[in-house]
């Protein structure tokens, strides 16, 4: 089924699909990077865990009426998705202060942000994905302010769905990053992945960090934590 390698990112490889112009295959890799590639480590089994976790999240969002690129899980490490042109924005939604927000603005980690904050970052490794405002986003992507407003609204409604999804598994959704892409007909859909690489998840009772911060901050073994997330989702959330 797999055609040629189109693109290799830090966490996934993207392949064309033989005979299918409008579909792609995503293969999740076992590598983890942090701080714009400064920190790197191989974690056997990570690709499988993120593929299965992200598949479950996208199936749930589909059930809730969100338009996404996800079609189906093909294997332990691969999924079939619609071919989109990725919009070079990282859309971050924050329910609780942590990470770069706490560092940049001095807001104490754990402070509740109500309503959630939505931010745009320019997806450009060479520039280390800088934080940008709406006017920069319109200039850099060629999208209208109306499209950007639509993306923000989508991000807020995805946040509401994801909060209940993870709550079922006794996890607090602290923040997360989304990417959107354009289908061949020009419509904008949710793309990329949603996994413990792209979300901060804290245990509801103990506030234990159960996401890529365990690698960023050298807290615990990443694979054990991601395995625990998948187990909780399989036990508690039915899609
Ligand atoms: P930040 O606090 O480092 O800005 O991260 C906010 C959220 O976005 C966090 O859940 C991790 C996620 N994220 C990514 O998925 N990719 C990235 O490149 C960065 C910087 C953050
Ligand atoms: N910045 C990403 C992260 O920390 C990964 C990377 O850029 O290497 O999640």
């Amino acid at each position: 089924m797999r055609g040629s390698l189109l693109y290799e990112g830090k966490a996934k490889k993207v392949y064309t699909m033989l005979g299918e112009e409008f579909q792609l295959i995503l293969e999740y890799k076992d590598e983890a990077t942090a701080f714009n590639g400064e920190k790197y480590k191989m974690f056997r089994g990570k690709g499988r865990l993120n593929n299965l976790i992200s598949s479950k999240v996208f199936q749930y969002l589909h059930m809730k009426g969100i338009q996404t690129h996800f079609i189906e899980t093909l294997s332990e490490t691969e999924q079939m998705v619609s071919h989109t042109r990725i919009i070079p924005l990282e859309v971050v939604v924050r329910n609780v202060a942590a990470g770069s927000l706490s560092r940049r603005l001095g807001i104490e980690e754990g402070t509740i942000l109500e309503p959630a904050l939505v931010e745009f970052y320019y997806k450009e490794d060479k520039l280390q994905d800088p934080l940008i405002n709406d006017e920069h986003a319109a200039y850099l992507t060629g999208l209208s302010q109306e499209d950007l407003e639509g993306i923000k609204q989508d991000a807020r409604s995805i946040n509401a769905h994801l909060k209940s999804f993870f709550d079922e598994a006794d996890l607090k959704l602290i923040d997360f990053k989304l990417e959107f892409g354009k289908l061949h007909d020009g419509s904008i859909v949710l793309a990329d992945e949603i996994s413990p690489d792209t979300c901060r998840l804290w245990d509801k009772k103990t506030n234990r960090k159960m996401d890529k911060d365990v690698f960023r901050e050298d807290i615990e073994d990443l694979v054990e934590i991601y395995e625990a997330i998948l187990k909780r989702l399989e036990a508690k959330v039915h899609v």
Side-chain angles (χ1 to χ4, degrees), residues 90 92 94 98-101 103 121 129 175-177 197-200 216:
E90 299 202 342
V92 169
R94 299 181 187 270
S100 70
L101 182 81
R103 284 197 300 275
Y121 293 80
D129 302 343
D175 58 29
F176 57 97
K177 183 264 300 179
D197 268 15
T198 65
C199 299
R200 282 197 175 90
R216 293 192 190 95

Side-chain angles (χ1 to χ4, degrees), residues 113-128:
L113 305 166
E114 178 73 61
L117 305 182
V118 181
E119 303 169 331
F120 288 139
Y121 293 80
Y122 182 35
K123 187 174 154 63
E124 177 54 86
D125 280 345
K126 278 187 300 212
L127 300 173
Q128 302 178 3

Side-chain angles (χ1 to χ4, degrees), residues 10 33-39 125 129 197 212 216:
K10 285 182 287 212
T33 67
F35 312 117
N36 295 295
E38 232 175 77
K39 191 167 171 173
D125 280 345
D129 302 343
D197 268 15
K212 202 164 100 175
R216 293 192 190 95

